[in-house]
């Protein structure tokens, strides 16, 4: 931590590396569907991630959260891990990985809208403009798919990912209201544990008995997304957020869908259409405007 506080160049290097890993994880999430069902993969991924985070909590001697917070952590786990990734992984059967990453990372727009209602934040002219631009981006991607005769499965998948982004935003608001006094690594570890339990329960009902292929590729996908991209990257991310402001951290996550688009085009041969590029640009610009503070607020 002291090294991060002294060397901001190291902070930005870590941000860059983490967002690359998160962008690459979208490719592995899509590729994992060749070996097992979407819910089964999520169970293995977040099971591995939860075990890793609990080990980190134990090594750092963070301890258990007070019992009064357990119900709140369960709710956050269901909203942020169970619902988000059950919807995303199911939708990835029909939607390209790059486009999926863009749609999910529309989350800051939904968070801003919910913050007005539940956190008492003001909907300034800057935020209204940013939200409108972001919504135009979403409509550009979704609307164009409808007009070009895209299959109903793709459109439904895209809607599911937007619902996942809204669930993620709700979890952010709930976190601010109920558990923001807890250590962030503690919140991450226990919400992922409860979220993984929820995913396993759904998997046992929906995909019990379906074939699962374990080989070098599928195990690599599970360990990379679960241990590295989920547990370890989130641990480092929480350390980074203690030395940079929240606005900078939020905007820097916009690198994730950019890398997701790049890796999916390069490794999965997905077509990067003009519509996706234009819609992605609108969403990213909208989020930057929404998150940017004016000089008086800074």
């Amino acid at each position: 931590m002291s090294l991060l506080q002294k060397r901001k160049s190291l902070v930005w290097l870590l941000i860059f590396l983490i967002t690359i890993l998160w962008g690459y994880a979208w490719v592995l999430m899509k590729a994992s569907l060749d070996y097992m069902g979407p819910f089964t993969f999520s169970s293995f991924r977040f099971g591995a991630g939860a075990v890793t985070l609990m080990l980190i909590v134990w090594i750092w001697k963070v301890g258990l959260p007070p019992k009064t917070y357990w119900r709140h952590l369960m709710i956050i786990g269901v909203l942020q891990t169970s619902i988000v990734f059950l919807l995303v992984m199911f939708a990835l059967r029909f939607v390209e990985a790059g486009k999926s990453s863009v749609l999910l990372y529309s989350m800051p727009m939904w968070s801003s809208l919910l913050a007005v209602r539940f956190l008492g934040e003001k909907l300034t002219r800057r935020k209204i403009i940013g939200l409108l631009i972001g919504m135009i981006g979403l409509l550009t991607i979704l609307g164009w798919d409808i007009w070009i005769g895209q299959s109903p499965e793709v459109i439904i998948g895209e809607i599911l990912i937007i619902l996942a982004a809204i669930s993620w935003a709700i979890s952010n608001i709930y976190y601010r209201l109920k558990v923001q006094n807890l250590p962030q690594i503690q919140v991450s570890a226990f919400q992922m544990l409860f979220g993984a339990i929820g995913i396993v329960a759904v998997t046992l009902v929906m995909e019990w008995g379906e074939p699962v292929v374990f080989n070098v590729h599928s195990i690599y996908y599970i360990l990379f997304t679960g241990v590295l991209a989920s547990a370890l990257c989130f641990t480092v991310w929480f350390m980074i957020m203690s030395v940079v402001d929240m606005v900078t951290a939020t905007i820097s996550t916009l690198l994730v869908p950019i890398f997701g688009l790049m890796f999916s085009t390069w490794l999965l041969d997905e077509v990067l259409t003009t519509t996706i590029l234009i819609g992605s640009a609108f969403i990213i610009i909208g989020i930057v405007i929404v998150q940017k503070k004016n000089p008086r607020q800074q």
Side-chain angles (χ1 to χ4, degrees):
M1 286 299 300
S2 60
L3 184 61
L4 290 178
Q5 291 170 348
K6 293 177 182 177
R7 300 184 60 181
K8 288 301 177 71
S9 59
L10 178 60
V11 172
W12 288 109
L13 176 61
L14 288 174
I15 288 176
F16 187 70
L17 291 175
I18 288 173
T19 51
I20 287 178
L21 295 176
W22 282 343
Y24 175 57
W26 280 92
V27 173
L28 303 188
M29 289 161 59
K30 180 76 171 181
S32 70
L33 299 178
D34 293 333
Y35 302 100
M36 62 193 73
F39 302 156
T40 302
F41 172 77
S42 295
S43 295
F44 285 122
R45 172 190 177 179
F46 289 104
V51 169
T52 305
L53 277 176
M54 296 305 292
L55 285 174
I56 293 172
V57 167
W58 177 67
I59 292 171
W60 286 5
K61 299 180 180 180
V62 177
L64 297 175
K67 290 184 178 180
T68 54
Y69 286 99
W70 282 57
R71 179 171 62 89
H72 301 313
L73 291 171
M74 289 180 186
I75 293 173
I76 293 174
V78 170
L79 289 170
Q80 185 169 314
T81 297
S82 299
I83 293 178
V84 170
F85 287 95
L86 286 172
L87 291 177
V88 166
M89 287 304 301
F90 183 81
L92 277 173
R93 299 169 65 183
F94 315 108
V95 185
E96 295 176 343
K99 185 190 295 185
S100 300
S101 65
V102 172
L103 294 175
L104 183 64
Y105 276 83
S106 66
M107 174 273 297
M109 294 191 305
W110 309 113
S111 292
S112 296
L113 285 173
L114 292 171
V116 174
R117 173 64 177 83
F118 295 102
L119 299 180
E121 295 186 5
K122 294 182 179 180
L123 194 60
T124 62
R125 183 171 60 181
R126 183 195 301 274
K127 287 188 176 182
I128 293 174
I129 294 172
L131 289 169
L132 288 175
I133 292 174
M135 293 298 178
I136 290 172
L138 288 176
L139 291 174
T140 301
I141 294 176
L142 294 178
W144 191 258
D145 281 354
I146 294 173
W147 290 113
I148 64 175
Q150 191 67 265
S151 65
E153 290 85 358
V154 172
I155 297 172
I156 292 173
E158 292 170 348
I159 294 173
L160 289 178
I161 295 172
I162 293 176
L163 290 176
I166 295 173
S167 180
W168 186 4
I170 294 172
S171 74
N172 290 339
I173 302 300
Y174 195 86
Y175 165 82
R176 290 275 299 275
L177 290 172
K178 301 296 184 180
V179 300
Q180 68 172 347
N181 293 327
L182 293 178
Q184 289 179 313
I185 185 63
Q186 195 178 60
V187 174
S188 181
F190 283 89
Q191 73 84 15
M192 188 174 292
L193 174 64
F194 293 130
I197 293 172
I199 292 174
V200 170
V202 173
T203 302
L204 292 175
V205 174
M206 301 297 295
E207 294 182 355
W208 177 260
E210 292 191 10
V212 178
V213 177
F214 286 114
N215 55 28
V216 174
H217 298 291
S218 60
I219 294 174
Y220 167 67
Y221 298 159
I222 291 170
L223 293 180
F224 185 98
T225 57
V227 177
L228 186 57
S230 295
L232 297 182
C233 279
F234 273 116
T235 301
V236 176
W237 185 255
F238 289 137
M239 295 171 64
I240 290 172
M241 286 201 298
S242 67
V243 295
V244 301
D245 63 272
M246 185 63 68
V247 174
T248 301
T250 303
I251 292 177
S252 63
T253 60
L254 296 179
L255 291 171
V256 178
I258 293 174
F259 288 130
L261 288 169
M262 291 171 54
F263 282 121
S264 62
T265 303
W266 179 31
L267 298 175
L268 299 179
D269 295 325
E270 294 181 357
V271 179
L272 195 60
T273 64
T274 304
T275 304
I276 295 176
L277 287 173
I278 294 174
S280 302
F282 274 122
I283 292 173
I284 291 172
I285 291 171
I287 293 172
V288 170
I289 293 175
V290 166
Q291 295 294 320
K292 187 174 176 59
K293 292 183 178 180
N294 59 44
R296 184 166 53 186
Q297 287 176 316
Q298 289 175 341

